[in-house]
């Protein structure tokens, strides 16, 4: 199953929400979580851009079996018991390998030994 | 039209099929067995020189016997400079000026086979009736499927005379079709096939009325009807 644990902290009129999502299934899962706080969601930024897992008030990521991921945001809204919750979990199809990768996974090929140098 | 002739196991007759199919389709045959060719060799430049970037593929084609061949003349100096990454371009250059290109692939399942299959529009799979050859053909088929290269035909080569001329042949073909999931065509074992091949001559030019020659013509006819998307 996929679990979420949350933690909130209120400071100077801002609620900071942290959560950890864990995929304990044996298959890769796409997990989407959403803010449950009544108030605007201020999304985290990295190098000036919103981190790619976030779109509006939802966070979505692909979790490998056994993987845990952390997420967080800020909001002017008041803390609640469940500030963020899982809204969907779906099994991800394994990424298809490109032909270059398939070929690279085969036994290595090397050109034949140069007969002219072999004789020397 | 680029056709890879593949098989997995050595000695099943990939070169025989390439030569006879190549002749019937008026194709250029690319001897892609860079390590141990059993195709008639030339003294001029070959596939190694093309893959080393020394000559264009179209300039290295020559007439051997009754077919056009890009040979694997591996006595050429500097064979180690051969780079498989040049293969797709070299083949599409040939495809633009020839009716068809046949890639006579080596045995095994190394990266070279991957590149050859990936370059081809489709593949002709060659096996003999024997289980080890069929097992290797099955692995080659799986790789072709992974790479998205369709199999047009499975050639069941070297079928013993007593089988070929009996109902057992049809049963053999049905079994192999179920295993390898491609339309089968049986070629009877005929010693003259190998004899004529040494000179670069397909069996059709020497014994046009033989059962083998007729089956190779049927094989060619099937490939002519394929539309490349």
């Amino acid at each position: 199953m996929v679990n979420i644990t949350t933690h909130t902290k209120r400071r100077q009129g801002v609620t900071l929400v942290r959560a950890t999502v864990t995929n304990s299934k044996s298959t890769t899962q796409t997990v989407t979580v959403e803010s449950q706080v009544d108030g605007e969601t201020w999304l985290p930024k990295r190098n000036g851009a919103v981190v790619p897992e976030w779109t509006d008030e939802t966070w979505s990521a692909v979790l490998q079996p056994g993987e845990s991921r952390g997420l967080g945001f800020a909001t002017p809204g008041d803390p609640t018991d469940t500030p963020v919750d899982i809204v969907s979990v779906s099994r991800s199809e394994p990424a298809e390998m490109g032909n270059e990768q398939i070929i690279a996974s085969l036994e290595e090929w090397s050109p034949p030994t140069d007969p002219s140098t072999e004789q020397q | 039209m680029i056709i890879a002739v593949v098989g997995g196991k050595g000695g099943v007759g990939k070169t025989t099929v390439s030569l006879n199919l190549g002749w019937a389709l008026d194709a250029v045959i690319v001897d892609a067995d860079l390590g141990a060719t059993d195709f008639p060799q030339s003294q001029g430049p070959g596939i190694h020189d093309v893959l080393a970037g020394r000559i264009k593929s179209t300039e290295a084609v020559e007439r051997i016997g009754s077919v056009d061949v890009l040979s694997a003349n591996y006595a050429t100096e500097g064979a180690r400079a051969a780079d498989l990454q040049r293969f797709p371009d070299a083949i599409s250059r040939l495809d633009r000026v020839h009716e068809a290109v046949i890639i006579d692939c080596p045995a095994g399942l190394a990266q070279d086979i991957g590149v050859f299959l990936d370059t081809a529009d489709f593949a002709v799979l060659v096996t003999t009736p024997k289980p080890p050859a069929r097992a290797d053909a099955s692995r080659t088929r799986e790789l072709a499927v992974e790479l998205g290269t369709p199999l047009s035909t499975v050639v069941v080569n070297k079928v013993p005379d007593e089988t070929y001329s009996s109902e057992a042949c049809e049963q053999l073909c049905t079994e192999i079709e179920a295993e390898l999931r491609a339309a089968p065509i049986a070629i009877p074992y005929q010693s003259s096939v190998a004899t004529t091949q040494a000179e670069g001559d397909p069996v059709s030019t020497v014994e046009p009325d033989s059962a083998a020659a007729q089956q190779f013509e049927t094989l060619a006819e099937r490939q002519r009807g394929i539309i490349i998307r």
Side-chain angles (χ1 to χ4, degrees), chain B residues 15 19 31 37-42 64 69 71-72 197-201:
Chain B
T15 298
L19 174 65
D31 185 358
T37 178
D38 45 12
F39 213 86
Q41 287 188 43
S42 75
I64 300 179
V69 180
S71 69
Q197 182 169 315
E199 303 300 321
D201 288 322

Side-chain angles (χ1 to χ4, degrees), chain B:
Chain B
M1 182 193 284
I2 304 169
I3 309 171
V5 175
V6 288
K9 197 158 188 64
V12 293
K14 292 178 290 294
T15 298
T16 302
V17 171
S18 297
L19 174 65
N20 287 276
L21 183 60
W23 178 81
L25 294 177
D26 198 17
V28 56
I29 302 166
V30 176
D31 185 358
D33 196 345
L34 280 79
T37 178
D38 45 12
F39 213 86
Q41 287 188 43
S42 75
Q43 294 307 307
I47 184 84
H48 297 91
D49 301 286
V50 173
L51 296 183
R54 286 190 285 264
I55 187 170
K56 285 180 185 165
S57 56
T58 45
E59 291 164 0
V61 171
E62 66 180 298
R63 195 81 178 166
I64 300 179
S66 41
V67 285
D68 286 332
V69 180
L70 174 54
S71 69
N73 179 14
Y74 64 101
T76 320
E77 274 184 51
R80 286 204 70 82
D83 183 350
L84 276 182
Q85 289 189 355
R86 291 195 176 94
F87 190 81
D89 278 351
I91 297 302
S92 62
R93 200 180 276 272
L94 290 174
D95 190 35
R96 287 198 288 273
V97 295
H98 290 268
E99 283 290 315
V101 183
I102 306 279
I103 308 170
D104 180 20
C105 296
L109 263 186
Q111 287 171 350
D112 54 342
I113 302 292
V115 171
F116 303 154
L117 274 173
D118 194 32
T119 302
D121 294 312
F122 59 91
V124 169
L125 185 60
V126 186
T127 183
T128 66
K130 294 182 178 167
R134 283 153 69 170
D136 282 359
S138 180
R139 282 187 279 273
T140 305
R141 177 196 165 272
E142 281 166 27
L143 177 62
V145 169
E146 266 191 88
L147 292 168
T149 304
L151 294 184
S152 69
T153 311
V154 51
V155 174
V156 187
N157 195 29
K158 298 187 181 176
V159 177
D161 269 341
E162 61 275 20
T163 308
Y164 187 78
S165 51
S166 73
E167 278 176 14
C169 189
E170 204 178 315
Q171 194 183 335
L172 173 70
C173 284
T174 307
E175 267 178 37
I176 288 180
E177 182 170 15
E179 264 170 41
L180 301 172
R181 284 171 246 166
I185 188 163
I187 311 271
Y189 180 79
Q190 193 174 315
S191 58
S192 55
V193 171
T195 318
T196 60
Q197 182 169 315
E199 303 300 321
D201 288 322
V203 67
S204 305
T205 61
V206 186
E207 294 178 8
D209 296 328
S210 63
Q214 285 167 17
Q215 289 297 81
F216 280 126
E217 181 47 42
T218 308
L219 172 67
E221 194 52 48
R222 275 199 207 163
Q223 317 310 311
R224 282 190 200 106
I226 293 171
I227 295 159
I228 312 292
R229 267 175 284 176

Side-chain angles (χ1 to χ4, degrees), chain A residues 49-96:
Chain A
V50 172
V51 297
E53 286 85 356
W54 282 97
T55 318
D56 299 328
E57 293 189 343
T58 62
W59 175 95
S60 188
V62 175
L63 272 76
Q64 301 299 319
E67 188 184 2
S68 290
R69 294 277 298 272
L71 63 111
F73 62 93
T75 172
D78 289 325
T80 61
D81 285 347
T82 315
V84 62
D85 207 1
I86 294 170
V87 290
S88 79
V89 175
S90 61
R91 186 169 163 179
S92 313
E93 293 301 320
E96 254 185 48

